Amino acid sequence: MKALPGRHIDRLLHSLFACVLFLTVLFLWQLSYAGSCAALFLPGLAFVVIFHGLLEYRLERKRFSVDYYLDRASPLHGWFRRTGLSAPISLVVALPLAAFLSVFAARSRPTDWYFLFAAATAAPLLHHALGGWPGRHFRSGEGDARRPALADILVARLAGTLLLAGVVAAYVYAGYYLIPVPEGIFPESMERTVEAFSVQARSACPIVQDTLLIAAQLDGLSWYFVTTATTSPWLHDGIRPAVWAAFFLNAAMVFGGFVRGLEGSILLACRFGRCRKDE
């Protein structure tokens, strides 16, 4: 039966609420990371959401392969339909994404949150728009009420891919061409630059302190090379693209984790908020 307009609005609001909630978790982490190790619960929660989104998509890909190649009557069909390696692989992929995102959120500047908020708002809107087309051409799946529909999983990944490309390009361009560089860069001294960035890493939790200190030192080196050393004659031309590639890779990892978290949030809304269409 065709869904009523009100149901479409409910689905959109559920997804929007889930994405804003995921953004709120990161914001609370940014406010509390300097405290005790109990604050690690927040990036742990973000990791669970990222892991959920990755696992749902990987399981659906595996189900397609198993159903296509194996006979449903074969005992191998049921064996390969289990989570198997999908959960460990999703776990391994989710860990660095959550780590990059957590470090970024802890050390973020106010301008960084504009991009995070824009992505959190655009994700459910894009998911809703793509749900009309091409989402309406995707099959609904097996009708398991405990999981999001196949169409929701595919549309979430499609929307996330488009959003990731857009937000990374916008962040790299604005962050390094429009937004002023951070303070603490000394063109005459690399050591002073690294020290100035390291001072900003402070936390009562030793694990967080050590992680942020390493990230701050690497960030200081990167900014020093980009703003100072890239114009120096002693730096070979072949190294300059590598420095910019490192900036781009860092942004891709950070927003890759954030977008995968938004996908997981939308799929959780579809699972617990009755986001799916009723048959």
Side-chain angles (χ1 to χ4, degrees):
M1 188 172 98
K2 186 177 180 180
L4 297 175
R7 182 169 297 279
H8 287 292
I9 295 177
D10 290 341
R11 293 176 49 163
L12 177 60
L13 291 178
H14 290 159
S15 299
L16 181 61
F17 175 78
C19 292
V20 171
L21 189 60
F22 180 71
L23 179 64
T24 303
V25 169
L26 295 178
F27 183 70
L28 292 177
W29 161 246
Q30 199 272 340
L31 295 177
S32 60
Y33 77 91
S36 66
C37 292
L40 287 172
F41 167 77
L42 294 169
L45 188 60
F47 162 76
V48 171
V49 178
I50 295 172
F51 169 74
H52 176 263
L54 291 172
L55 181 61
E56 288 287 0
Y57 181 72
R58 185 166 293 275
L59 285 176
E60 205 56 62
R61 287 178 57 188
K62 189 181 72 171
R63 287 188 183 95
F64 169 79
S65 300
V66 171
D67 290 342
Y68 184 82
Y69 289 106
L70 295 179
D71 191 329
R72 290 179 178 269
S74 171
L76 293 179
H77 183 274
W79 191 84
F80 279 107
R81 288 266 300 189
R82 299 174 184 175
T83 55
L85 293 177
S86 297
I89 292 176
S90 300
L91 183 70
V92 171
V93 175
L95 276 173
L97 292 178
F100 271 81
L101 179 59
S102 299
V103 171
F104 176 82
R107 304 190 63 254
S108 60
R109 293 185 289 171
T111 51
D112 295 333
W113 291 95
Y114 297 147
F115 296 92
L116 296 177
F117 180 80
T121 304
L125 295 175
L126 191 58
H127 180 267
H128 179 74
L130 294 177
W133 191 91
R136 64 184 178 87
H137 296 287
F138 297 146
R139 62 184 179 88
S140 60
E142 299 179 356
D144 187 354
R146 296 171 298 177
R147 299 188 63 254
L150 171 61
D152 287 321
I153 296 175
L154 296 179
V155 170
R157 175 50 64 97
L158 178 59
T161 302
L162 295 176
L163 179 61
L164 178 59
V167 73
V168 169
Y171 180 78
V172 171
Y173 177 79
Y176 307 122
Y177 289 101
L178 300 180
I179 301 176
V181 299
E183 299 179 355
I185 300 176
F186 299 91
E188 71 282 357
S189 174
M190 180 188 301
E191 291 76 12
R192 291 183 62 189
T193 301
V194 173
E195 182 180 356
F197 275 74
S198 301
V199 171
Q200 304 172 9
R202 290 290 182 267
S203 177
C205 180
I207 298 178
V208 177
Q209 169 71 18
D210 294 340
T211 303
L212 293 181
L213 181 60
I214 295 174
Q217 292 173 346
L218 293 176
D219 197 25
L221 284 174
S222 300
W223 276 110
Y224 176 81
F225 277 111
V226 168
T227 59
T228 304
T230 52
T231 59
S232 301
W234 60 267
L235 187 63
H236 193 273
D237 291 339
I239 302 180
R240 297 173 185 174
V243 176
W244 286 104
F247 268 105
F248 184 83
L249 178 61
N250 179 71
M253 289 291 292
V254 168
F255 287 101
F258 186 65
V259 170
R260 296 297 173 246
L262 294 177
E263 292 176 12
S265 301
I266 292 174
L267 295 180
L268 284 173
C270 293
R271 182 172 183 174
F272 297 107
R274 308 303 299 172
C275 178
R276 267 188 358 181
K277 295 180 181 180
D278 294 334
E279 297 292 338

